Amino acid sequence: MTRPPLPPFTRASAEQKVQAAEDAWNTRDPERVAQAYTEDTVWRNREEFATGRAEVVAFLERKWAREHRYALRKELWAFSDDRISARFQYEWHDDDGQWWRSYGNEQWQFAADGLMSRREASIDDVRITEAQRRIIGPRPAGDRSPLPLR
């Protein structure tokens, strides 16, 4: 199985990979998302570590059980032959109805088949009001507007 686009990346193929990741994560379907990663993928997400697809699925199930109405935007930051760096923002609310905007950076490494073998994410959460939300659902088709700084 391959997951195009494949490394080595060009700007266009790296942007395509970032958009595909954004689209998949916005489904909030752990099984679907996990298919983009190698069987032995290694993750760091905040303070959590996961190895392998089964652990990734379990992580995503826990994540989306507490992050309600999750909506994500990703943007290419940099790329090389088999690596991509992206920045992202997503919004969600907790069980108490408190809205959050989460800001982060990810570093990705890919196997030759286009599956992600390594993902490292650093993320900070900022309280927002519902009126301050700006990410409502998946990105409209054709919209690649850059993420605001704050």
Side-chain angles (χ1 to χ4, degrees), residues 10-125:
T10 63
R11 173 164 292 284
S13 64
E15 287 174 344
Q16 183 180 1
K17 204 67 150 173
V18 170
Q19 185 62 56
E22 176 184 308
D23 293 344
W25 280 66
N26 274 324
T27 69
R28 297 182 303 275
D29 179 342
E31 293 289 342
R32 178 178 171 188
V33 171
Q35 293 307 305
Y37 301 91
T38 61
E39 289 287 344
D40 61 349
T41 192
V42 176
W43 276 31
R44 181 188 59 77
N45 193 90
R46 301 177 191 252
E47 72 283 353
E48 285 193 62
F49 294 83
T51 301
R53 281 189 189 157
E55 288 185 18
V56 166
V57 168
F59 166 83
L60 293 171
E61 288 171 345
R62 288 190 311 275
K63 172 186 178 59
W64 289 322
R66 71 178 183 274
E67 294 180 355
H68 308 291
R69 294 180 58 194
Y70 172 97
L72 167 73
R73 298 290 184 276
K74 291 183 183 279
E75 181 178 10
L76 177 66
W77 188 258
F79 69 95
S80 66
D81 291 339
D82 66 347
R83 297 176 188 211
I84 294 175
S85 178
R87 71 183 193 113
F88 60 87
Q89 295 175 23
Y90 62 90
E91 294 175 351
W92 55 282
H93 72 80
D94 60 25
D95 289 336
D96 296 327
Q98 172 62 57
W99 281 93
W100 300 88
R101 183 173 304 123
S102 300
Y103 295 89
N105 298 291
E106 293 176 302
Q107 291 76 46
W108 304 336
Q109 185 170 9
F110 293 87
D113 60 7
L115 296 173
M116 194 182 301
S117 59
R118 185 177 189 96
R119 175 184 176 268
E120 296 185 21
S122 298
I123 307 166
D124 297 307
D125 302 315

